[in-house]
């Protein structure tokens, strides 16, 4: 019985613990949904794909959902913008050559 009492007294005594066996403090945090709803913000979109910056220069046209189109805000030319078939590459190409785009660099 003395051996059992000695082992419990050794475990409760911090001076007998090895340096590598010290408990690690765990920070207490609130969940992001609680924090965002308290502030009035929408929950974070961690799993959602980022929206391309090209949409600052184009607007989607209302029309057929199978063949969506977008129009340039500067030159008023429309382009296909299907997410799987076309993507945004054609719109980026247009923006580099658009004569009315205010930030285009004249390389001549």
């Amino acid at each position: 019985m003395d051996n059992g009492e000695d082992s419990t007294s050794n475990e409760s005594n911090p001076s007998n613990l090895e340096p590598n066996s010290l408990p690690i403090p765990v920070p207490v945090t609130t969940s992001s949904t609680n924090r965002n709803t308290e502030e009035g913000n929408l929950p974070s979109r961690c799993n959602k794909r980022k929206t391309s910056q090209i949409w600052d220069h184009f607007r989607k046209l209302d029309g057929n959902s199978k063949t969506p189109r977008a129009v340039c805000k500067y030159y008023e030319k429309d382009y296909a913008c299907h997410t799987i078939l076309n993507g945004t590459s054609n719109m980026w190409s247009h923006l580099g050559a658009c004569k009315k785009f205010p930030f285009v660099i004249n390389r001549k």
Side-chain angles (χ1 to χ4, degrees), residues 95-106:
L95 207 58
C98 183
K99 295 175 183 174
K100 295 183 180 181
F101 180 56
F103 303 108
V104 73
I105 299 171
N106 190 358

Side-chain angles (χ1 to χ4, degrees), residues 47-92:
N47 297 333
K48 188 173 180 181
R49 201 178 248 185
K50 291 184 180 178
T51 304
S52 176
Q53 292 180 352
I54 197 70
W55 293 110
D56 294 339
H57 310 286
F58 283 81
R59 62 183 151 81
K60 260 190 173 176
L61 295 174
D62 294 331
N64 190 357
S65 62
K66 292 185 179 182
T67 57
R69 307 286 292 176
V71 66
C72 174
K73 290 182 178 180
Y74 311 108
Y75 201 69
E76 296 298 321
K77 186 167 181 178
D78 66 330
Y79 289 90
C81 64
H82 193 277
T83 56
I84 296 171
L85 300 176
N86 306 106
T88 58
S89 301
N90 57 350
M91 293 184 278
W92 282 112

